[in-house]
Amino acid sequence: SQTIHQWPATLVQPVGSPLSLECTVEGTSNPNLYWYRQAAGRGLQLLFYSVGIGQISSEVPQNLSASRPQDRQFILSSKKLLLSDSGFYLCAWSGVNYGYTFGSGTRLTVV
Amino acid sequence: DQQVKQNSPSLSVQEGRISILNCDYTNSMFDYFLWYKKYPAEGPTFLISISSIKDKNEDGRFTVFLNKSAKHLSLHIVPSQPGDSAVYFCAASANSGGSNYKLTFGKGTLLTVNP
C-alpha cells in the first residue's frame, strides 16, 4: 500500500535561518507531488507541484523553493525564513486515480 | 481571485441532525470535485468526490450534490456525529483524465457537532 511520510512534525526556527522539509512516498512510482501551506485562518494554498524528477512548478512567488532529487522524494526549502513563512505545511501525492493523499503535516513557527 | 469558495467559516449542529456544508466555484472548467476532512495538526483525508457528469454521489452517511448550472456543491452528513467535528475542505480539479492535475481548495468550514 502507498504511504507518505513527512517530517518533522513541528519546527520552530528563527527569522533568517534556513529551512528544509522532506517528504517521501512509498509504494508507488512516478507520483505527482505537491506542497501546500495552510496559514492561520486561511485555506490550503498550493505552493509547488512536481510531475517528475527535477520538474518543479511554482504556483505563487515566495521565499520558498522546492526540489525533487528522487522519484519519491520532495523537499521544501528556504535560504532565509521570514515571519510570514509560518504555517502548516502539507505534502501530498496523487497517482492515476483522482484525489490526493496528504502527509501528516509540519507546523512551522518562525520567531 | 478565489475560484473555490466556502462562505461559511463555521457550522454548529446537534448530534443526530443533518449537517449541510456548501461550496461555490467560479471556474467553468472544473470537472471533478472532492471533499476533504481535516482534524487539527493532521493532514486532510479524502471523504467523497463527484464527477461533473453526475449530480449526486452517496457513501454511507455522506452525500455530495452538484448543481452545475449554479456552480454549487454541497455535502450532507446524516446523521451527524460528534466525531464528524472537523474542518471540511471543498476542492475542485480542471484536468479530467489528465496525469498532471491540481486541486484548488476552499478555505474550509469548521463543523462542530454537539452531543
Side-chain angles (χ1 to χ4, degrees):
Chain A
S1 63
Q2 301 91 352
T3 56
I4 180 168
H5 303 278
Q6 189 179 342
W7 67 92
T10 59
L11 193 58
V12 179
Q13 292 284 100
V15 169
S17 65
L19 172 74
S20 181
L21 301 180
E22 187 164 344
C23 172
T24 59
V25 181
E26 296 178 358
T28 186
S29 59
N30 197 31
N32 292 339
L33 295 172
Y34 309 83
W35 278 110
Y36 277 82
R37 177 173 61 198
Q38 183 184 19
R42 303 186 65 179
L44 298 173
Q45 182 185 35
L46 177 62
L47 303 176
F48 301 95
Y49 69 95
S50 171
V51 300
I53 297 174
Q55 301 179 62
I56 308 295
S57 296
S58 175
E59 287 294 295
V60 293
Q62 58 205 309
N63 184 44
L64 302 168
S65 62
S67 62
R68 185 167 177 176
Q70 300 181 43
D71 180 47
R72 289 170 286 179
Q73 184 184 30
F74 204 22
I75 298 172
L76 183 69
S77 304
S78 173
K79 293 182 179 178
K80 291 185 178 181
L81 283 169
L82 305 172
L83 288 174
S84 58
D85 292 324
S86 293
F88 191 57
Y89 288 82
L90 289 157
C91 179
W93 76 273
S94 67
V96 295
N97 297 316
Y98 279 103
Y100 290 3
T101 300
F102 284 91
S104 54
T106 296
R107 170 69 61 192
L108 171 66
T109 303
V110 182
V111 296
Chain B
D1 178 28
Q2 202 175 352
Q3 299 185 64
V4 177
K5 302 178 183 178
Q6 293 177 257
N7 293 320
S8 297
S10 63
L11 174 68
S12 182
V13 299
Q14 285 298 119
E15 181 178 5
R17 306 294 291 268
I18 184 171
S19 295
I20 300 177
L21 297 98
N22 294 303
C23 178
D24 298 293
Y25 61 96
T26 59
N27 189 340
S28 300
M29 300 302 292
F30 285 150
D31 56 10
Y32 200 77
F33 304 89
L34 308 92
W35 284 94
Y36 282 81
K37 176 180 179 180
K38 183 183 181 300
Y39 293 115
E42 295 183 9
T45 55
F46 171 75
L47 194 56
I48 193 170
S49 63
I50 188 168
S51 165
S52 60
I53 62 174
K54 297 184 177 181
D55 54 19
K56 176 183 175 181
N57 187 26
E58 188 173 355
D59 183 3
R61 296 186 296 115
F62 303 92
T63 303
V64 56
F65 296 92
L66 175 62
N67 183 333
K68 285 177 290 185
S69 61
K71 293 189 177 67
H72 176 83
L73 64 154
S74 61
L75 174 68
H76 293 209
I77 306 174
V78 182
S80 301
Q81 300 173 355
D84 295 329
S85 298
V87 176
Y88 289 79
F89 288 99
C90 173
S93 169
N95 191 24
S96 179
S99 61
N100 171 27
Y101 74 100
K102 299 177 287 183
L103 291 181
T104 301
F105 286 85
K107 290 188 175 182
T109 296
L110 174 62
L111 173 65
T112 303
V113 180
N114 302 304

